[in-house]
Amino acid sequence: MIADSLIKVLMVDDDEVLTESVKAYFLSEGGFTFTSKNDGESGRESAISEDYDVIILDVTMPKMNGFETLKYIRRKKETPVIMLTARGDDLDRILGLEIGADDYVPKPCNLRELVARVRAIMRRVSVRNGTVEVEGCFITVGDLKLKSGSLTVEKNGVPILMTSAEFMILEKLTSMAGEVVSKDEISRHALGRRISQFDRSVDAHIVSLRKKLGPMPDGQQRIKTVRGRGYLYVSL
């Protein structure tokens, strides 16, 4: 996305009344274009054939649910995805994040919050196209190398695909390798918000990172949980 251009949003949700409400709100805010699809199959085809900046994806839909749609999209593209989940349904939220969603918003939607989440994602991923200058471009910890300018991660020279949220979490942890980083600090850096009491977003992203990165060369876990305090990336 080029700085000051319109943010292209795709919303995939079978609730047409909600979709129209969200569309009206986004367009009234200014700075957005908005496309909607009402089932997973048409949503995935639009997501693959067009270049969107952010996709808003409902979990429960006909023909293809949100999880299946997200899996398909992730095989083709790394477009940031915000999942819409039932309020209080932690399982759906965690599963969506583990599959590759960048964030989630519970339904019924708070439209102001939804816009804020989209803007936060765009601030994170804008470095991908050079619209934000990043100091200290490279972070190297053991066999891992992060390049902030392109949001890329390499392990022993082999690229590892990351969502923007995963990259930002890993960037925070590796930049402070050997130190404990609180969940709130991670959330503010990676997701652009303070963590709430029942927010499991950071935990779910950590699970995904552990799977993608594997253990340290000596077999120990790369990202350790420090109970009651946060997470620590091991520095050898």
Side-chain angles (χ1 to χ4, degrees):
M1 189 185 75
I2 301 173
D4 300 323
S5 68
L6 296 176
I7 298 171
K8 295 178 65 176
V9 178
L10 169 66
M11 182 170 179
V12 187
D13 194 316
D14 63 325
D15 187 335
E16 296 186 34
V17 174
L18 173 62
T19 301
E20 286 303 311
S21 297
V22 174
K23 177 180 180 179
Y25 190 87
F26 269 77
L27 295 182
S28 71
E29 286 287 296
F32 298 95
T33 65
F34 197 95
T35 302
S36 62
K37 299 295 178 181
N38 298 122
D39 64 77
E41 287 186 357
S42 60
R44 75 174 189 181
E45 297 308 318
S46 183
I48 298 305
S49 62
E50 301 291 335
D51 289 325
Y52 295 101
D53 295 306
V54 180
I55 300 169
I56 301 170
L57 181 61
D58 188 30
V59 170
T60 306
M61 293 184 294
K63 297 185 180 180
M64 176 178 283
N65 67 37
F67 299 132
E68 294 170 328
T69 304
L70 178 57
K71 286 179 181 178
Y72 185 90
I73 293 171
R74 279 290 171 259
R75 288 197 293 267
K76 307 284 186 176
K77 287 192 172 183
E78 292 299 311
T79 308
V81 173
I82 297 175
M83 299 291 290
L84 298 181
T85 65
R87 188 174 296 276
D89 197 334
D90 288 340
L91 183 60
D92 278 357
R93 296 175 185 180
I94 292 170
L95 181 56
L97 293 170
E98 289 181 347
I99 291 172
D102 291 78
D103 209 344
Y104 65 82
V105 172
K107 296 176 80 172
C109 296
N110 180 312
L111 298 183
R112 179 178 294 180
E113 179 184 7
L114 186 56
V115 168
R117 297 287 180 92
V118 169
R119 293 194 189 279
I121 283 179
M122 294 316 303
R123 285 194 294 271
R124 297 201 304 265
V125 303
S126 58
V127 295
R128 195 183 297 258
N129 292 313
T131 59
V132 172
E133 253 183 65
V134 180
E135 295 181 5
C137 196
F138 293 95
I139 298 174
T140 302
V141 184
D143 60 353
L144 212 62
K145 183 176 183 179
L146 285 74
K147 185 178 180 181
S148 296
S150 59
L151 272 69
T152 58
V153 178
E154 293 181 356
K155 178 183 171 184
N156 291 320
V158 179
I160 300 174
L161 290 177
M162 296 272 163
T163 67
S164 62
E166 288 168 352
F167 180 90
M168 296 296 281
I169 289 173
L170 187 60
E171 178 185 57
K172 185 66 176 178
L173 291 171
T174 53
S175 68
M176 299 177 66
E179 301 178 39
V180 178
V181 187
S182 71
K183 288 184 184 181
D184 186 64
E185 192 173 353
I186 293 170
S187 182
R188 283 187 283 121
H189 177 80
L191 304 178
R193 64 176 187 273
R194 296 188 68 88
I195 200 162
S196 60
Q197 183 178 1
F198 301 107
D199 191 339
R200 299 295 304 280
S201 301
V202 170
D203 301 316
H205 285 308
I206 292 291
V207 169
S208 180
L209 281 169
R210 284 170 172 161
K211 290 178 180 177
K212 289 183 177 184
L213 297 173
M216 298 292 276
D218 64 358
Q220 69 173 309
Q221 198 171 60
R222 290 175 183 272
I223 303 174
K224 292 189 174 181
T225 302
V226 182
R227 191 172 297 278
R229 295 181 59 196
Y231 291 101
L232 176 150
Y233 188 93
V234 172
S235 177
L236 295 179

